[in-house]
Amino acid sequence: MPIIDIESNLGEELDLQAFAHRMDQEGVALIAFSGIARGRGWSDAARYAVAADPWRYIPAGDGGLPPDWKRNPTGFAKVSKERIISDGYPMMGEYEFRHYPSPDQIQRGNMERDEYLPIDSPAGHQLFQFSEESGISFQIHQEIEDQYLPQLEKMLAQYPKAKVIWCHLAQMRYQARNTVYGPDYVRKLIEQYPNLYFDLFSGPPDHIYPGSKEYPGKYWDRTTGKLKPEWAKLIADHPWRFMTALDLNPFIMQEFSRKVGMQRAVLDSLPVPVREIVAYKAAWKLLFNEEI
Ligand SMILES: [Zn+2]
């Protein structure tokens, strides 16, 4: 079964030829390729990748990552909008609002990417408004935590046509900060907000987040290595709202096969009729408004 990866930040040093073979071996049909501006304002990396290998990449705008996004959020949101329009990107990248240091950064001793930009800040409004006007989706990284849910819901209610992909379903790094989020809450959001989507990236079931020493992948049943039934049921009931994601970045490309395996374990947990929707059809429909 082919899969479309809706969310990866791939570096400019990627060996596209070698990687094409790895994608083919793993049955990854397309990757939404998001570039990394790295202080230059914008990268154009996705456009170069698509120019070099148009069959394997969907161009996504640069992600909202430090330093560009952090230094000047409204400026980066403005550049995003201009580039998305002028260069015809079908989607925007992942913008970090609340973001704890990622595991691979902690391993490298980099604790600085502990980001907080309120989602209802001016830059957040710019992104929601542009998405609402254009119909182009954008991705958010927002750690799951009680205190941030009202801000997000406020924005979803204010911009009901904005297409938002909340990345990393059920990735909860600090359980004690959460009393609300779970399959029932996500179901409520889906029913209430018609343009809210989720990407399904998660680390493996036994992954421990080094910052909290907890298992962040809350949708996993760690004994079976499959989805817990309540999460599988939620996805099966609303399959067009969930998309496969690998969340690659240049530091973890050696984990490509393992990450594909994790997403295939998610798909294998779902009823057969919805697997293809979650694997690639939902992504295609969101981006191109076409059922394949
Ligand atoms: Zn993320």
Side-chain angles (χ1 to χ4, degrees), residues 76-142:
F76 190 75
K78 181 167 174 286
V79 168
S80 298
K81 176 180 169 178
E82 290 165 358
R83 291 302 190 109
I84 297 294
I85 293 171
S86 65
D87 298 336
Y89 289 89
M91 72 181 303
M92 291 186 264
E94 180 184 359
Y95 294 80
E96 297 183 346
F97 287 95
R98 187 70 181 99
H99 190 291
Y100 302 135
S102 61
D104 61 291
Q105 287 172 321
I106 294 175
Q107 272 166 10
R108 298 196 304 276
N110 176 2
M111 297 297 290
E112 282 166 24
R113 188 154 147 244
D114 193 354
E115 311 294 344
Y116 180 48
L117 177 70
I119 199 153
D120 57 351
S121 62
H125 279 280
Q126 282 171 273
L127 295 175
F128 274 83
Q129 189 171 1
F130 174 58
S131 178
E132 170 141 302
E133 288 163 5
S134 64
I136 292 173
S137 57
F138 70 108
Q139 311 177 359
I140 60 169
H141 186 112
Q142 175 81 319

Side-chain angles (χ1 to χ4, degrees), residues 22 37 53 60-61 80 89 91 99 103 116 118 127 136 140 157 173 186 194 198 204 215 235 238 255 259 261 269:
R22 296 178 70 192
D53 195 348
S80 298
Y89 289 89
M91 72 181 303
H99 190 291
Y116 180 48
L127 295 175
I136 292 173
I140 60 169
R173 286 166 166 167
V186 174
F198 293 85
Y215 296 107
I235 297 168
H238 297 282
E255 292 179 42
K259 290 194 160 208
S269 309

Side-chain angles (χ1 to χ4, degrees), residues 9 13 37 52 77 87 96 108 113-114 124-125 132 141 143 154 174 181-182 187 191 202 209 249 268:
N9 287 299
E13 289 77 32
D87 298 336
E96 297 183 346
R108 298 196 304 276
R113 188 154 147 244
D114 193 354
H125 279 280
E132 170 141 302
H141 186 112
E143 304 284 351
K154 187 184 92 178
Y174 294 88
Y181 187 103
R187 183 183 295 273
E191 289 170 358
S202 172
Y209 178 61
N249 72 52
D268 287 346

Side-chain angles (χ1 to χ4, degrees), residues 54-66:
W55 297 103
R56 289 188 179 79
Y57 299 107
I58 298 165
D62 286 358
L65 297 164

Side-chain angles (χ1 to χ4, degrees), residues 7 94 99 141 167-168 247:
E7 190 270 300
E94 180 184 359
H99 190 291
H141 186 112
C167 294
H168 327 321
D247 195 31

Side-chain angles (χ1 to χ4, degrees), residues 19 77 95 99 102 109 118 122 129 139 146 154 157 207 227 237 253 276 284:
F19 193 57
Y95 294 80
H99 190 291
S102 61
Q129 189 171 1
Q139 311 177 359
D146 286 356
K154 187 184 92 178
H207 166 66
L227 289 177
D237 288 345
M253 296 307 286
E276 293 203 26
W284 193 270

